[in-house]
Amino acid sequence: MAGNWKMYKTAAETCAFFHKFNPLVAGSAHCEIVICPPSVNLSAAVEATRGTRIETGGQNMFWEKEGAFTGEISGNMLKALGSKWVLIAHSERRQYFGETNENARKKILAALDSGLTPVYCVGENLDERQTGGTHQVLESQLTGGWAGLSADRFSKIVIAYEPCWAIGTGKVATPEIAAEAHRFIRDQVRKQFGAEPAAACRILYGGSVKPDNIRGLMAQPDIDGALVGGASLDPDSFASIVNF
Ligand code: PEP
C-alpha cells in the first residue's frame, strides 16, 4: 500500500502525520507500507518512520548518477537518504513535465542500478478509454518502459495501473474495469517475461482509492495493492486503507 503525497505537506506536517499514523498501522504486518513525500521532506519521513515497518520513496528521479542537471535528484541520492522506492512516470509527470516512455525506461534502469524498487505508473486518459484505445496505450507504455529488461531485473519492479481519469477526480474505476485492465497488464507481462514473472508481479491500482472503495478493489485477484494520492494525506484514512 503506497501513498503518493504529490506536492503536499511541509517537514513539520510530515512529522505530525507520522506521529498519528505510526501507531495506527503498528500491527499491520500483512503488507508493505510506503509513503512517497516531496523529496525535500524525505529525511524527515525517514527519521519519523525509523524503527517501524513503514518505508519511504521518491516521487521521481533522474537517470544519471550525478552531474550538471539543475533541479534533479538521482537514485543514489534517494537510496542514501534511506528510501527504498521510487515512483516512475506518474501520470502527472507525463501530463505536466513531458515524461515519455523512453525517459521512464532510463529511470527504471537507473533506479534498479541504485537498488531502489521502481513503481512504474501506466494508464490511459479519458479520451483514450472512450475511443477504445486503453489496451494500445497500456501496451505501448509497458513495452516502452521495460524494453531491454531481463526477466530477472523485471522481477524487481512494481507496476501501478492508474487511469488518468480516476486520479484526483473522485471517480474511482469500478472493480470490474480495474480488474480487466490489471488482467490485461498481467497478460502483457506473461507474453514478455513468462508465466512465473507474471504470477509474481505486483500490480497496484491507483485512482481515487478511499477507505470505502478499497475492499471491492482488493477483492479482484489481479489487484495486489494500491497507490493512493489524496487519501494518503490523512493518517486515519490511509491507515484504514492499509488495514481494510
Ligand atoms: C495518485 O496520485 O497516484 C493518485 C492515485 O491520486 P488520487 O488517489 O488522489 O486519485
Side-chain angles (χ1 to χ4, degrees), residues 2-244:
N4 170 23
W5 280 2
K6 311 183 191 237
M7 199 175 72
Y8 290 103
K9 292 196 192 292
T10 61
E13 288 164 346
T14 299
C15 296
F17 172 93
F18 286 111
H19 185 69
K20 207 160 167 207
F21 181 67
N22 293 359
L24 297 176
V25 296
S28 316
H30 61 284
C31 67
E32 285 162 281
I33 307 167
V34 181
I35 294 278
C36 301
S39 55
V40 290
N41 295 327
L42 265 170
S43 298
V46 167
E47 209 42 56
T49 53
R50 205 173 289 289
T52 74
R53 293 185 56 256
I54 305 162
E55 298 181 344
T56 62
Q59 296 177 8
N60 180 37
M61 57 170 273
F62 193 50
W63 56 79
E64 294 289 350
K65 283 193 172 60
E66 61 181 8
F69 303 107
T70 301
E72 294 294 327
I73 55 169
S74 72
N76 287 353
M77 291 170 186
L78 290 173
K79 185 77 180 178
L81 276 178
S83 284
K84 297 195 176 153
W85 302 77
V86 62
L87 306 181
I88 302 288
H90 186 276
S91 72
E92 287 149 20
R93 301 295 316 170
R94 292 182 188 267
Q95 188 179 349
Y96 303 122
F97 302 100
E99 190 79 285
T100 62
N101 295 332
E102 172 56 13
N103 288 357
R105 184 188 69 79
K106 294 195 241 176
K107 291 181 180 187
I108 288 171
L109 289 175
L112 291 172
D113 286 344
S114 298
L116 297 168
T117 301
V119 178
Y120 181 43
C121 304
V122 296
E124 79 287 0
N125 64 31
L126 187 58
D127 189 46
E128 290 159 345
R129 173 154 287 271
Q130 285 174 339
T131 54
T134 298
H135 287 184
Q136 204 188 334
V137 169
L138 292 178
E139 189 180 346
S140 84
Q141 291 175 337
L142 290 168
T143 54
W146 70 39
L149 276 188
S150 63
D152 184 46
R153 293 201 97 193
F154 173 78
S155 70
K156 301 191 173 65
I157 84 172
V158 169
I159 293 174
Y161 169 63
E162 299 208 304
C164 304
W165 47 271
I167 297 179
T169 59
K171 279 191 220 151
V172 64
T174 62
E176 294 71 29
I177 288 178
E180 192 279 330
H182 280 236
R183 210 163 30 244
F184 177 79
I185 291 169
R186 205 175 295 283
D187 282 346
Q188 298 305 301
V189 178
R190 191 173 298 114
K191 269 212 273 185
Q192 179 70 26
F193 298 104
E196 239 178 75
C201 173
R202 290 179 296 170
I203 308 173
L204 313 182
Y205 168 79
S208 295
V209 172
K210 306 280 180 243
D212 62 0
N213 58 33
I214 185 67
R215 188 170 291 275
L217 291 162
M218 290 301 295
Q220 306 302 316
D222 284 310
I223 300 184
D224 304 307
L227 178 53
V228 184
S232 72
L233 292 165
D234 175 72
D236 289 312
S237 106
F238 193 47
S240 54
I241 290 170
V242 168
N243 294 326
F244 82 94

